[in-house]
Amino acid sequence: MNDQKAPSSVAPMKSTSHPPDLFQRLVEGVRDYAIFMLDPGGHIMSWNSGAQRIKGYAASEIIGQHFSKFYPQEAIDRKWPQYELEMAVKQGQFEDEGWRVRKDGTQFWANVVITPMIGDDGTLLGYSKVTRDLTDRREHEERLRQSEERFRLLLEGVRDYAIMMLDTDGRVTSWNSGAQEMLGYEAAEVLGRSFDMFSTPEDRESGRPAEELRTATLNRRVEEQGWRVRKDGSRFWADVIVTALDDGHGHLRGFAKVTRDLSDQKRMESLQEQGRHLTEFLAMLAHELRNPLAPLRNALSVMTMSGEEMSPRIAWSHGVMDRQLAQLTRLVDDLLDVSRVTRGKLRLKTEPMDLNVGLARAIEAAKPLFEERRQHFEAAASPASLQINGDLTRITQVLVNLLNNAAKYTPEGGRIDVASIAEGDEAVVRVKDTGIGIAPQNMEHIFDLFAQGDRSLDRAAGGLGIGLTLARRVVDMHGGQITARSEGPGRGSEFEVRLPMIRGR
Ligand code: ADP
């Protein structure tokens, strides 16, 4: 304990007006700082409760020992403790941060201040040493650093968005790889420059960029869409969000700006727009084309009704016109239907009906084609009626389509089988042919609009690639399904229509 009294004779401490033992008690009571004295050789002379708490030694264990005990071996090896004392003398004080060792061997991050104590006669009496445990602060800082690092990497890695920070005047202070990709500038080319460099000259002229920052400051956030300019001068349609960043006390620190390139979306919208125009045009065209067809049909009928014998030449001409007019009417009707389908204007008039009736009508309509192509046709209708809620005209149209396709896509002399049957709650019609079949890669597309398996096919025989699209839509609207099967090219096809039957019959 003698050692502990020694410092009370030290000059700076003598200047206090407190009685020495009171002052000593004050120091001893401090718990958050290790405060102790070293003799000129670096041996410990006093110890307070903070030192005991931070370093783990009781005063009796440590007094008299050399203070290098608190240093990791590595620091001792490079004579750091001595260096600290020398520097303290040289500079009047020495401050350091570093790892120190507790009694139990664990380490802590310390802030150390060493002050030499000089006697009245100028001799070195020893040193005071104040050590603070900064482990918590260091961990906190480390966590902060890591989280900032993670955030930076995250921003850096985002490639689909240009993310930049702006200072309060709108100058770029950070720049991610997405920004580089989207706008074409390297970070070095933009840092420190005003963000209005990405705006169009017109926008700059009208003060729009500055307005953007004003609005963001007022409302915290502003989102807008507009043209932006890349380094190479090209423009793109962008969605821009600017968020004002404050320091937590309401003072503006800058802005975060996130830009998304909407070119693809814009292109898509314009394609959709074009598509809409096209379907509207198709609808109009179909109507206009239909108008002259009815008088033509009438005129042809008048020719046969007149009762006069037609000359072979006239009869031949009449036959050609009759067949071509039928084909033309069919195409125009298809076109009308497709515009109804694409515009969602297809309407059904459903009532209870027998699917077999629709099938019989379809066969009636398709039969001439089978005969013309000398195809062997067989029908096996279910003996029981197949009651469904359906639009007889549309259902017939679907089945005519399937039968016509079977005829079209089957060589002369081929075979076509159609059957209807009740399976559980469903009425099923299958149309099977021995024709050209469907390649697997075409299978998923044949129900698409304007899809045609073989475009080189003589289109006088083919249609517009509408039939199956329409068939699927009509069957869908009836709550049923239409599917196709084929073993592949040259191996025939089978189409199947399933429709829900009316229960309780
Ligand atoms: P279209 O017959 O007017 O071309 P569809 O929508 O009726 O249009 O048929 C689409 C395509 O599906 C056809 O072009 C054809 O390639 C294929 N397809 C339809 N039915 C058959 C069939 N029975 N056998 C082989 N291919 C078929």
PDB file of all heavy atoms in Angstrom, residues 462-488:
ATOM      1  N   GLY A 462     -55.457 -24.978 -97.497  1.00  0.00           N
ATOM      2  CA  GLY A 462     -55.361 -24.589 -96.084  1.00  0.00           C
ATOM      3  C   GLY A 462     -56.263 -23.421 -95.781  1.00  0.00           C
ATOM      4  O   GLY A 462     -57.008 -22.924 -96.628  1.00  0.00           O
ATOM      5  N   GLY A 463     -56.228 -22.982 -94.533  1.00  0.00           N
ATOM      6  CA  GLY A 463     -57.010 -21.824 -94.117  1.00  0.00           C
ATOM      7  C   GLY A 463     -56.077 -20.751 -93.635  1.00  0.00           C
ATOM      8  O   GLY A 463     -54.959 -20.616 -94.120  1.00  0.00           O
ATOM      9  N   LEU A 464     -56.529 -19.997 -92.647  1.00  0.00           N
ATOM     10  CA  LEU A 464     -55.736 -18.875 -92.153  1.00  0.00           C
ATOM     11  C   LEU A 464     -55.008 -19.196 -90.847  1.00  0.00           C
ATOM     12  O   LEU A 464     -54.373 -18.342 -90.268  1.00  0.00           O
ATOM     13  CB  LEU A 464     -56.649 -17.664 -91.922  1.00  0.00           C
ATOM     14  CG  LEU A 464     -57.355 -17.112 -93.148  1.00  0.00           C
ATOM     15  CD1 LEU A 464     -58.359 -16.065 -92.729  1.00  0.00           C
ATOM     16  CD2 LEU A 464     -56.354 -16.546 -94.128  1.00  0.00           C
ATOM     17  N   GLY A 465     -55.141 -20.435 -90.392  1.00  0.00           N
ATOM     18  CA  GLY A 465     -54.534 -20.755 -89.090  1.00  0.00           C
ATOM     19  C   GLY A 465     -55.392 -20.214 -87.968  1.00  0.00           C
ATOM     20  O   GLY A 465     -54.900 -19.844 -86.913  1.00  0.00           O
ATOM     21  N   ILE A 466     -56.683 -20.171 -88.212  1.00  0.00           N
ATOM     22  CA  ILE A 466     -57.615 -19.604 -87.235  1.00  0.00           C
ATOM     23  C   ILE A 466     -58.474 -20.681 -86.599  1.00  0.00           C
ATOM     24  O   ILE A 466     -58.848 -20.594 -85.428  1.00  0.00           O
ATOM     25  CB  ILE A 466     -58.542 -18.593 -87.966  1.00  0.00           C
ATOM     26  CG1 ILE A 466     -57.756 -17.334 -88.320  1.00  0.00           C
ATOM     27  CG2 ILE A 466     -59.754 -18.254 -87.120  1.00  0.00           C
ATOM     28  CD1 ILE A 466     -58.528 -16.396 -89.219  1.00  0.00           C
ATOM     29  N   GLY A 467     -58.760 -21.719 -87.382  1.00  0.00           N
ATOM     30  CA  GLY A 467     -59.739 -22.737 -86.980  1.00  0.00           C
ATOM     31  C   GLY A 467     -59.521 -23.282 -85.573  1.00  0.00           C
ATOM     32  O   GLY A 467     -60.450 -23.289 -84.759  1.00  0.00           O
ATOM     33  N   LEU A 468     -58.298 -23.729 -85.284  1.00  0.00           N
ATOM     34  CA  LEU A 468     -58.057 -24.352 -83.984  1.00  0.00           C
ATOM     35  C   LEU A 468     -58.083 -23.324 -82.848  1.00  0.00           C
ATOM     36  O   LEU A 468     -58.490 -23.634 -81.733  1.00  0.00           O
ATOM     37  CB  LEU A 468     -56.729 -25.110 -83.979  1.00  0.00           C
ATOM     38  CG  LEU A 468     -56.715 -26.420 -84.797  1.00  0.00           C
ATOM     39  CD1 LEU A 468     -55.363 -27.113 -84.665  1.00  0.00           C
ATOM     40  CD2 LEU A 468     -57.841 -27.354 -84.365  1.00  0.00           C
ATOM     41  N   THR A 469     -57.638 -22.097 -83.153  1.00  0.00           N
ATOM     42  CA  THR A 469     -57.700 -21.037 -82.134  1.00  0.00           C
ATOM     43  C   THR A 469     -59.151 -20.813 -81.720  1.00  0.00           C
ATOM     44  O   THR A 469     -59.487 -20.757 -80.536  1.00  0.00           O
ATOM     45  CB  THR A 469     -57.149 -19.713 -82.712  1.00  0.00           C
ATOM     46  OG1 THR A 469     -55.914 -19.972 -83.357  1.00  0.00           O
ATOM     47  CG2 THR A 469     -56.966 -18.677 -81.628  1.00  0.00           C
ATOM     48  N   LEU A 470     -59.972 -20.714 -82.747  1.00  0.00           N
ATOM     49  CA  LEU A 470     -61.386 -20.491 -82.498  1.00  0.00           C
ATOM     50  C   LEU A 470     -62.000 -21.697 -81.779  1.00  0.00           C
ATOM     51  O   LEU A 470     -62.764 -21.534 -80.814  1.00  0.00           O
ATOM     52  CB  LEU A 470     -62.083 -20.265 -83.843  1.00  0.00           C
ATOM     53  CG  LEU A 470     -63.535 -19.846 -83.784  1.00  0.00           C
ATOM     54  CD1 LEU A 470     -63.649 -18.471 -83.126  1.00  0.00           C
ATOM     55  CD2 LEU A 470     -64.124 -19.795 -85.195  1.00  0.00           C
ATOM     56  N   ALA A 471     -61.624 -22.891 -82.227  1.00  0.00           N
ATOM     57  CA  ALA A 471     -62.175 -24.100 -81.617  1.00  0.00           C
ATOM     58  C   ALA A 471     -61.836 -24.138 -80.124  1.00  0.00           C
ATOM     59  O   ALA A 471     -62.696 -24.408 -79.281  1.00  0.00           O
ATOM     60  CB  ALA A 471     -61.607 -25.342 -82.304  1.00  0.00           C
ATOM     61  N   ARG A 472     -60.577 -23.849 -79.818  1.00  0.00           N
ATOM     62  CA  ARG A 472     -60.183 -23.903 -78.406  1.00  0.00           C
ATOM     63  C   ARG A 472     -60.973 -22.872 -77.595  1.00  0.00           C
ATOM     64  O   ARG A 472     -61.437 -23.162 -76.501  1.00  0.00           O
ATOM     65  CB  ARG A 472     -58.681 -23.659 -78.257  1.00  0.00           C
ATOM     66  CG  ARG A 472     -58.272 -23.521 -76.793  1.00  0.00           C
ATOM     67  CD  ARG A 472     -56.815 -23.727 -76.566  1.00  0.00           C
ATOM     68  NE  ARG A 472     -56.501 -25.153 -76.503  1.00  0.00           N
ATOM     69  CZ  ARG A 472     -55.269 -25.612 -76.302  1.00  0.00           C
ATOM     70  NH1 ARG A 472     -54.261 -24.776 -76.197  1.00  0.00           N
ATOM     71  NH2 ARG A 472     -55.052 -26.903 -76.223  1.00  0.00           N
ATOM     72  N   ARG A 473     -61.136 -21.664 -78.162  1.00  0.00           N
ATOM     73  CA  ARG A 473     -61.852 -20.628 -77.431  1.00  0.00           C
ATOM     74  C   ARG A 473     -63.305 -21.040 -77.178  1.00  0.00           C
ATOM     75  O   ARG A 473     -63.834 -20.914 -76.074  1.00  0.00           O
ATOM     76  CB  ARG A 473     -61.781 -19.299 -78.195  1.00  0.00           C
ATOM     77  CG  ARG A 473     -62.582 -18.185 -77.562  1.00  0.00           C
ATOM     78  CD  ARG A 473     -62.123 -17.904 -76.133  1.00  0.00           C
ATOM     79  NE  ARG A 473     -60.826 -17.280 -76.100  1.00  0.00           N
ATOM     80  CZ  ARG A 473     -60.624 -15.971 -76.031  1.00  0.00           C
ATOM     81  NH1 ARG A 473     -61.660 -15.174 -75.954  1.00  0.00           N
ATOM     82  NH2 ARG A 473     -59.426 -15.477 -76.032  1.00  0.00           N
ATOM     83  N   VAL A 474     -63.943 -21.573 -78.238  1.00  0.00           N
ATOM     84  CA  VAL A 474     -65.351 -21.972 -78.092  1.00  0.00           C
ATOM     85  C   VAL A 474     -65.480 -23.091 -77.058  1.00  0.00           C
ATOM     86  O   VAL A 474     -66.345 -23.056 -76.179  1.00  0.00           O
ATOM     87  CB  VAL A 474     -65.930 -22.400 -79.465  1.00  0.00           C
ATOM     88  CG1 VAL A 474     -67.284 -23.070 -79.278  1.00  0.00           C
ATOM     89  CG2 VAL A 474     -66.037 -21.198 -80.398  1.00  0.00           C
ATOM     90  N   VAL A 475     -64.578 -24.074 -77.139  1.00  0.00           N
ATOM     91  CA  VAL A 475     -64.658 -25.198 -76.207  1.00  0.00           C
ATOM     92  C   VAL A 475     -64.390 -24.713 -74.772  1.00  0.00           C
ATOM     93  O   VAL A 475     -65.069 -25.110 -73.827  1.00  0.00           O
ATOM     94  CB  VAL A 475     -63.677 -26.325 -76.625  1.00  0.00           C
ATOM     95  CG1 VAL A 475     -63.590 -27.399 -75.556  1.00  0.00           C
ATOM     96  CG2 VAL A 475     -64.107 -26.937 -77.952  1.00  0.00           C
ATOM     97  N   ASP A 476     -63.408 -23.828 -74.636  1.00  0.00           N
ATOM     98  CA  ASP A 476     -63.128 -23.218 -73.319  1.00  0.00           C
ATOM     99  C   ASP A 476     -64.384 -22.559 -72.759  1.00  0.00           C
ATOM    100  O   ASP A 476     -64.712 -22.708 -71.591  1.00  0.00           O
ATOM    101  CB  ASP A 476     -62.061 -22.112 -73.449  1.00  0.00           C
ATOM    102  CG  ASP A 476     -60.659 -22.675 -73.353  1.00  0.00           C
ATOM    103  OD1 ASP A 476     -60.553 -23.898 -73.125  1.00  0.00           O
ATOM    104  OD2 ASP A 476     -59.690 -21.903 -73.525  1.00  0.00           O
ATOM    105  N   MET A 477     -65.029 -21.788 -73.615  1.00  0.00           N
ATOM    106  CA  MET A 477     -66.212 -21.056 -73.161  1.00  0.00           C
ATOM    107  C   MET A 477     -67.343 -21.989 -72.747  1.00  0.00           C
ATOM    108  O   MET A 477     -68.229 -21.603 -71.996  1.00  0.00           O
ATOM    109  CB  MET A 477     -66.689 -20.085 -74.253  1.00  0.00           C
ATOM    110  CG  MET A 477     -65.765 -18.891 -74.431  1.00  0.00           C
ATOM    111  SD  MET A 477     -66.189 -17.890 -75.860  1.00  0.00           S
ATOM    112  CE  MET A 477     -67.585 -16.957 -75.236  1.00  0.00           C
ATOM    113  N   HIS A 478     -67.284 -23.215 -73.239  1.00  0.00           N
ATOM    114  CA  HIS A 478     -68.270 -24.224 -72.823  1.00  0.00           C
ATOM    115  C   HIS A 478     -67.802 -24.984 -71.582  1.00  0.00           C
ATOM    116  O   HIS A 478     -68.437 -25.941 -71.167  1.00  0.00           O
ATOM    117  CB  HIS A 478     -68.513 -25.235 -73.963  1.00  0.00           C
ATOM    118  CG  HIS A 478     -69.451 -24.743 -75.028  1.00  0.00           C
ATOM    119  ND1 HIS A 478     -69.042 -23.944 -76.067  1.00  0.00           N
ATOM    120  CD2 HIS A 478     -70.794 -24.919 -75.204  1.00  0.00           C
ATOM    121  CE1 HIS A 478     -70.081 -23.661 -76.849  1.00  0.00           C
ATOM    122  NE2 HIS A 478     -71.164 -24.242 -76.337  1.00  0.00           N
ATOM    123  N   GLY A 479     -66.662 -24.614 -71.059  1.00  0.00           N
ATOM    124  CA  GLY A 479     -66.139 -25.306 -69.872  1.00  0.00           C
ATOM    125  C   GLY A 479     -65.482 -26.627 -70.219  1.00  0.00           C
ATOM    126  O   GLY A 479     -65.288 -27.480 -69.344  1.00  0.00           O
ATOM    127  N   GLY A 480     -65.120 -26.823 -71.474  1.00  0.00           N
ATOM    128  CA  GLY A 480     -64.508 -28.092 -71.874  1.00  0.00           C
ATOM    129  C   GLY A 480     -63.050 -27.936 -72.273  1.00  0.00           C
ATOM    130  O   GLY A 480     -62.428 -26.913 -72.014  1.00  0.00           O
ATOM    131  N   GLN A 481     -62.533 -29.000 -72.912  1.00  0.00           N
ATOM    132  CA  GLN A 481     -61.129 -28.990 -73.330  1.00  0.00           C
ATOM    133  C   GLN A 481     -60.993 -29.597 -74.714  1.00  0.00           C
ATOM    134  O   GLN A 481     -61.710 -30.525 -75.059  1.00  0.00           O
ATOM    135  CB  GLN A 481     -60.297 -29.891 -72.409  1.00  0.00           C
ATOM    136  CG  GLN A 481     -59.952 -29.259 -71.094  1.00  0.00           C
ATOM    137  CD  GLN A 481     -59.743 -30.322 -70.042  1.00  0.00           C
ATOM    138  OE1 GLN A 481     -59.857 -31.515 -70.314  1.00  0.00           O
ATOM    139  NE2 GLN A 481     -59.454 -29.884 -68.840  1.00  0.00           N
ATOM    140  N   ILE A 482     -60.020 -29.057 -75.442  1.00  0.00           N
ATOM    141  CA  ILE A 482     -59.704 -29.664 -76.735  1.00  0.00           C
ATOM    142  C   ILE A 482     -58.213 -29.966 -76.748  1.00  0.00           C
ATOM    143  O   ILE A 482     -57.407 -29.138 -76.339  1.00  0.00           O
ATOM    144  CB  ILE A 482     -60.113 -28.742 -77.907  1.00  0.00           C
ATOM    145  CG1 ILE A 482     -59.738 -29.402 -79.249  1.00  0.00           C
ATOM    146  CG2 ILE A 482     -59.467 -27.374 -77.828  1.00  0.00           C
ATOM    147  CD1 ILE A 482     -60.376 -28.722 -80.436  1.00  0.00           C
ATOM    148  N   THR A 483     -57.866 -31.179 -77.157  1.00  0.00           N
ATOM    149  CA  THR A 483     -56.457 -31.568 -77.169  1.00  0.00           C
ATOM    150  C   THR A 483     -56.130 -32.287 -78.473  1.00  0.00           C
ATOM    151  O   THR A 483     -57.024 -32.792 -79.148  1.00  0.00           O
ATOM    152  CB  THR A 483     -56.133 -32.526 -76.004  1.00  0.00           C
ATOM    153  OG1 THR A 483     -57.117 -33.557 -75.988  1.00  0.00           O
ATOM    154  CG2 THR A 483     -56.125 -31.799 -74.674  1.00  0.00           C
ATOM    155  N   ALA A 484     -54.822 -32.298 -78.777  1.00  0.00           N
ATOM    156  CA  ALA A 484     -54.378 -32.969 -79.993  1.00  0.00           C
ATOM    157  C   ALA A 484     -53.320 -33.993 -79.624  1.00  0.00           C
ATOM    158  O   ALA A 484     -52.603 -33.828 -78.641  1.00  0.00           O
ATOM    159  CB  ALA A 484     -53.798 -31.951 -80.967  1.00  0.00           C
ATOM    160  N   ARG A 485     -53.245 -35.039 -80.408  1.00  0.00           N
ATOM    161  CA  ARG A 485     -52.233 -36.065 -80.221  1.00  0.00           C
ATOM    162  C   ARG A 485     -51.722 -36.487 -81.585  1.00  0.00           C
ATOM    163  O   ARG A 485     -52.495 -36.531 -82.542  1.00  0.00           O
ATOM    164  CB  ARG A 485     -52.865 -37.296 -79.553  1.00  0.00           C
ATOM    165  CG  ARG A 485     -52.455 -37.531 -78.108  1.00  0.00           C
ATOM    166  CD  ARG A 485     -52.789 -38.964 -77.678  1.00  0.00           C
ATOM    167  NE  ARG A 485     -54.187 -39.304 -77.920  1.00  0.00           N
ATOM    168  CZ  ARG A 485     -55.180 -39.010 -77.091  1.00  0.00           C
ATOM    169  NH1 ARG A 485     -54.940 -38.364 -75.962  1.00  0.00           N
ATOM    170  NH2 ARG A 485     -56.411 -39.360 -77.367  1.00  0.00           N
ATOM    171  N   SER A 486     -50.443 -36.768 -81.666  1.00  0.00           N
ATOM    172  CA  SER A 486     -49.915 -37.316 -82.914  1.00  0.00           C
ATOM    173  C   SER A 486     -48.624 -38.046 -82.597  1.00  0.00           C
ATOM    174  O   SER A 486     -47.847 -37.614 -81.752  1.00  0.00           O
ATOM    175  CB  SER A 486     -49.649 -36.203 -83.922  1.00  0.00           C
ATOM    176  OG  SER A 486     -48.941 -36.730 -85.031  1.00  0.00           O
ATOM    177  N   GLU A 487     -48.425 -39.138 -83.280  1.00  0.00           N
ATOM    178  CA  GLU A 487     -47.189 -39.904 -83.097  1.00  0.00           C
ATOM    179  C   GLU A 487     -46.021 -39.226 -83.812  1.00  0.00           C
ATOM    180  O   GLU A 487     -44.888 -39.632 -83.684  1.00  0.00           O
ATOM    181  CB  GLU A 487     -47.350 -41.321 -83.659  1.00  0.00           C
ATOM    182  CG  GLU A 487     -48.449 -42.138 -83.003  1.00  0.00           C
ATOM    183  CD  GLU A 487     -47.997 -42.700 -81.661  1.00  0.00           C
ATOM    184  OE1 GLU A 487     -46.939 -43.355 -81.631  1.00  0.00           O
ATOM    185  OE2 GLU A 487     -48.692 -42.439 -80.663  1.00  0.00           O
ATOM    186  N   GLY A 488     -46.355 -38.189 -84.615  1.00  0.00           N
ATOM    187  CA  GLY A 488     -45.304 -37.485 -85.345  1.00  0.00           C
ATOM    188  C   GLY A 488     -45.646 -37.373 -86.818  1.00  0.00           C
ATOM    189  O   GLY A 488     -46.675 -37.896 -87.259  1.00  0.00           O
TER     190      GLY A 488
END
